[in-house]
Every structure is written in structure tokens, then in C-alpha cells.
Amino acid sequence: MAVNERTHRNTGIRFPGWHRTASPADPGEIAAGASSTRAQVFAGVRLLLGAVFLWAFLDKAFGWGYATPSGKGWVDGGSPTKGFLSGVAAGPMESTFHSWAGAGWVDWSFMLGLLAIGLALVSGIALRAAAVAGTVMMAFMWVAEWPPARHLSDGSPSMSSNPIVDYHVVYAAAMIALAVASAGTTWGFGRIWARLPIVERYRWLR
């Protein structure tokens, strides 16, 4: 009895990845790519955070009608700290903040701090100093809002969403992380800044 043997014919359709083993990627290239991606992510966070500080400065300085009403900006004679500090209603420094509200030295310190931190973050220079200054500023603002309080001094609910970690803590942590990661070298002038003689001598200026 004859047996008809069926032959497998080529259909003419080829899938290159199915019939050959892809060459393994160079571990060095993978590491370099991952490092580059991390650097870009940190740089993106740095720019966004810098924009937050610069916007706060500009709005309070010129009264763009967002957090600061038009015509009540710093350049118009308004105080960028009076409204916030006079409204402090909880915490151990409540009376102290009330006495500071609208004081010239407080206004200047706050506004110059916002401007300097914002410029440092956007440009990528002096991130260590910016992290220290920013953390101090965020600490004062955290104490002013006093998230641990369940009730304000008048007995009304504080509406605090978290007794410890709020956006002030997140901002401070982000600035510290950016400084540690030297995030100014990507999409910034951090590398050029670090080569300056005074910065090479005083490394805390990086």
C-alpha cells in the first residue's frame, strides 16, 4: 500500500523574530540608557518645582489675580505675608506669626526666598543651598498651617487631610532629592556652575 507523504511547504510569510534569537543588548548600553532616563526625570521634576516657586513669586509681586488679587501685589504696596500670617489659627507659633504678619523683613525674606529658590531650581544651579533654604521655608509654612491640629483656635474643624505629611513636606523632600541627585546637570547649568572656582572651593554651593 502506497503512503502519500505530505510535505510542509513554505507559505511565503516570514516573521523574523520567530526564527532567530535576538542578540542580547550590551549591559553597558542598558545602564547608560537607564541613567539618562533617570536624569531626565529628575530634571523634569526640578523644572516643575521651580515653576511653582517662580509663579508664587510673580503672582504675589504683581498681583496677577490668582492667589493675589489684581492691584494688591507687592509692587502695588501690598504685603505678600500679611494675609497668610494674620490668618494662622492653630499651632504653637500662632501669636508669633500674627506679630510677624506684614513686617517688612518678613516680606522681603519670603519674596527673595521664593525668587532665589525658583531661579536655582529652573537653572539647575546651587541646588544644595536651594534645598536648605526651601526646606526652612517649607518648615515655617508647615508650622503656620499646623496639620496636626484637628480644630482651629476658634473650635472649628481644621480640615487637615494628613497630620504630618502635606505638600510642604513633599516639596522639601523633593528639593533634597534633587540636590542629592545633582539634577542640575541635565537641562540646566549645573555642570558649568560646578566648574566655577568658588564653587569648586566651597562644594556646599553646588
Side-chain angles (χ1 to χ4, degrees), residues 53-168:
F53 280 86
L54 283 182
W55 177 268
F57 169 80
L58 293 171
D59 182 59
K60 294 179 185 301
F62 301 105
W64 283 351
Y66 289 87
T68 304
S70 179
K72 294 187 177 181
W74 196 29
V75 297
D76 301 310
S79 170
T81 65
K82 186 174 182 179
F84 175 69
L85 293 181
S86 61
V88 173
M93 295 185 64
E94 179 179 351
S95 60
T96 301
F97 286 132
H98 288 172
S99 67
W100 289 358
W105 68 272
V106 177
D107 287 346
W108 276 93
S109 298
F110 179 61
M111 292 298 283
L112 291 180
L114 287 177
L115 178 61
I117 294 168
L119 289 176
L121 289 170
V122 169
S123 64
I125 66 175
L127 293 185
R128 294 182 182 180
V132 172
T135 299
V136 171
M137 179 181 289
M138 293 299 103
F140 273 108
M141 295 180 72
W142 185 90
V143 173
E145 294 193 9
W146 200 245
R150 294 182 180 180
H151 298 87
L152 303 179
S153 54
D154 62 0
S156 61
S158 67
M159 304 301 291
S160 176
S161 59
N162 190 304
I164 299 176
V165 181
D166 69 347
Y167 69 98
H168 299 106

Side-chain angles (χ1 to χ4, degrees), residues 40 69 82-83 111 149 179 201-202 206:
Q40 292 172 1
K82 186 174 182 179
M111 292 298 283
R201 183 175 180 182
Y202 302 103
R206 290 190 175 185

